[in-house]
Amino acid sequence: MPGAAGTPVLPPALRPGDTIAVVSPACPAAASLTAEVERGLAALRGLGFRVTTMPHALGRRRWTSGTIEQRLHDLHAAFADPAVHGVLYTIGGDHSAQLLPGLDLDLVAANPKVLCGYSDATVLLSAVHARTGLVTFYGPALIPQFGELPAPYPETVRHFLRVTGTPAPAGPCPVIPYQVVDLDFARREREQRPRDRSAAPPRTVLVPGTAEGPVLAACLPSLRHLTGTPWQPDTRGRLLFLEPSEPPYSPATADADLWHLSNAGLLDEVAGVVFGRPLGWSEDDRQAFHEAALDCLARLGVPVLADLEFGHTNPILTLPNGVAARLSGTEVTLLGPAVA
């Protein structure tokens, strides 16, 4: 848990003119998704930030962006550089856990700054927060959010800037009434037109009630990578935000991963559970997962909300790990500042 007294360590707020370092701790997609990378970098500059791309962020080595040593070098150099104020994932992947044994947590703790991403970023965000108390940010990444065509969704940008740039409580998480589930990225680039939007499913209360606790946000399969390791987060008293991965990740697999967390004891003392809006699931899929989630969670007697706008969906919210929040019905409210 954060700090000896349970208080989170707040990184300095991101301001216009600050430098954001782009890293790829896992996936090599940035090596081939050059149009998305360039749009993402341009979008960040358009928001007033300076951007530096770390040496191996655009690399490729089999299914990762580089060797473990190269990826650690990029991450450590970004935190050590006093000119860098934020560290942003290009995209997720599946191999951030390879960095944990060599991760210099003392270096990170001595140089607090905004660290943001989602999906496989769960591993580093959770581990850094658990071991240093630093607030980390489960939010947009360079390629899938800032690299959107023709520009990032304004709802994504507004909430990211509010949470990471304002040293005051962000308040209620805004409802986003539409979603983008078109996964034909090749068509998007070929035709150079935005992806199709559709009405979003509403937030759904599975178990009513009100609860408060520090945020811990994670992707279900990525949190499983931490279970039983020295970097496993302490979930006691937390509002636990869990979201499914992208297709072909299914409701059945999400159900299995949720039960894995339950059997490992990670759900026993949570204050409440919030599930992210799934990407590419049918209405039948959503309902099936709601039923499965209740099978697993009803015994806990805590409030449960589904279909919040975070994780593998677009647009997305930014959730600060370690910051106090309240769950009440369909409303999630960030009660404390996430930056200093």
Side-chain angles (χ1 to χ4, degrees), residues 290-328:
H290 292 174
E291 294 174 8
L294 284 172
D295 288 344
C296 183
L297 301 177
R299 65 179 176 82
L300 300 178
V302 301
V304 181
L305 176 66
D307 302 311
L308 189 74
E309 305 92 323
F310 81 98
H312 288 80
T313 185
N314 273 301
I316 68 172
L317 301 170
T318 299
L319 299 174
N321 287 322
V323 171
R326 178 190 302 118
L327 168 62
S328 181

Side-chain angles (χ1 to χ4, degrees), residues 173-185:
C173 291
V175 173
I176 304 173
Y178 72 94
Q179 62 180 347
V180 179
V181 296
D182 176 6
L183 297 179
D184 190 351
F185 299 103

Side-chain angles (χ1 to χ4, degrees), residues 25-322:
C27 184
S32 55
L33 299 177
T34 54
E36 288 89 341
V37 169
E38 289 306 314
R39 278 199 303 271
L41 296 175
L44 290 173
R45 295 187 185 107
L47 294 172
F49 298 113
R50 297 183 174 91
V51 187
T52 181
T53 303
M54 300 308 287
H56 306 98
L58 308 182
R60 177 183 293 277
R61 181 178 182 265
R62 296 194 291 268
W63 44 81
T64 67
S65 62
T67 65
I68 294 171
E69 292 74 18
Q70 288 170 336
R71 288 176 280 149
L72 278 170
H73 173 272
D74 282 5
L75 196 63
H76 290 157
F79 271 94
D81 188 346
V84 170
H85 304 88
V87 182
L88 182 69
Y89 262 70
T90 58
I91 199 167
D94 203 30
H95 295 85
S96 289
Q98 294 174 342
L99 306 189
L100 291 176
L103 185 61
D104 189 341
L105 289 163
D106 290 336
L107 172 68
V108 173
N111 298 277
K113 51 194 68 177
V114 169
L115 173 63
C116 187
Y118 71 102
S119 191
D120 182 61
T122 293
V123 172
L124 293 186
L125 298 177
S126 297
V128 165
H129 174 60
R131 297 289 289 273
T132 71
L134 179 66
V135 170
T136 56
F137 298 84
Y138 201 87
L142 181 77
I143 289 172
Q145 278 75 46
F146 291 105
E148 189 57 71
L149 189 154
Y153 299 111
E155 296 86 353
T156 295
V157 172
R158 282 196 296 266
H159 202 245
F160 172 77
L161 294 178
R162 180 171 178 82
V163 174
T164 65
T166 305
C173 291
V175 173
I176 304 173
Y178 72 94
Q179 62 180 347
V180 179
V181 296
D182 176 6
L183 297 179
D184 190 351
F185 299 103
R187 190 276 304 157
R188 178 188 68 180
E189 297 303 321
R190 184 175 63 252
E191 299 180 4
Q192 285 294 292
R193 67 175 175 86
R195 296 189 286 157
D196 297 330
R197 300 183 181 190
S198 61
R203 298 176 183 177
T204 305
V205 175
L206 301 184
V207 179
T210 299
E212 293 186 9
V215 169
L216 182 64
C219 185
L220 268 167
S222 300
L223 185 55
R224 191 188 66 228
H225 290 173
L226 295 172
T227 306
T229 74
W231 303 274
Q232 177 178 305
D234 187 346
T235 57
R236 292 173 296 177
R238 297 280 189 157
L239 278 184
L240 187 59
F241 292 75
L242 298 172
E243 56 105 5
S245 188
E246 63 190 359
Y249 191 82
S250 69
T253 306
D255 180 30
D257 284 343
L258 188 62
W259 273 100
H260 180 81
L261 299 181
S262 178
N263 291 337
L266 269 70
L267 305 180
D268 288 348
E269 298 181 52
V270 298
V273 179
V274 181
F275 291 108
R277 177 191 291 166
L279 175 64
W281 286 6
S282 68
E283 181 61 24
D284 286 346
D285 288 337
R286 286 180 59 250
Q287 294 301 324
F289 179 69
H290 292 174
E291 294 174 8
L294 284 172
D295 288 344
C296 183
L297 301 177
R299 65 179 176 82
L300 300 178
V302 301
V304 181
L305 176 66
D307 302 311
L308 189 74
E309 305 92 323
F310 81 98
H312 288 80
T313 185
N314 273 301
I316 68 172
L317 301 170
T318 299
L319 299 174
N321 287 322

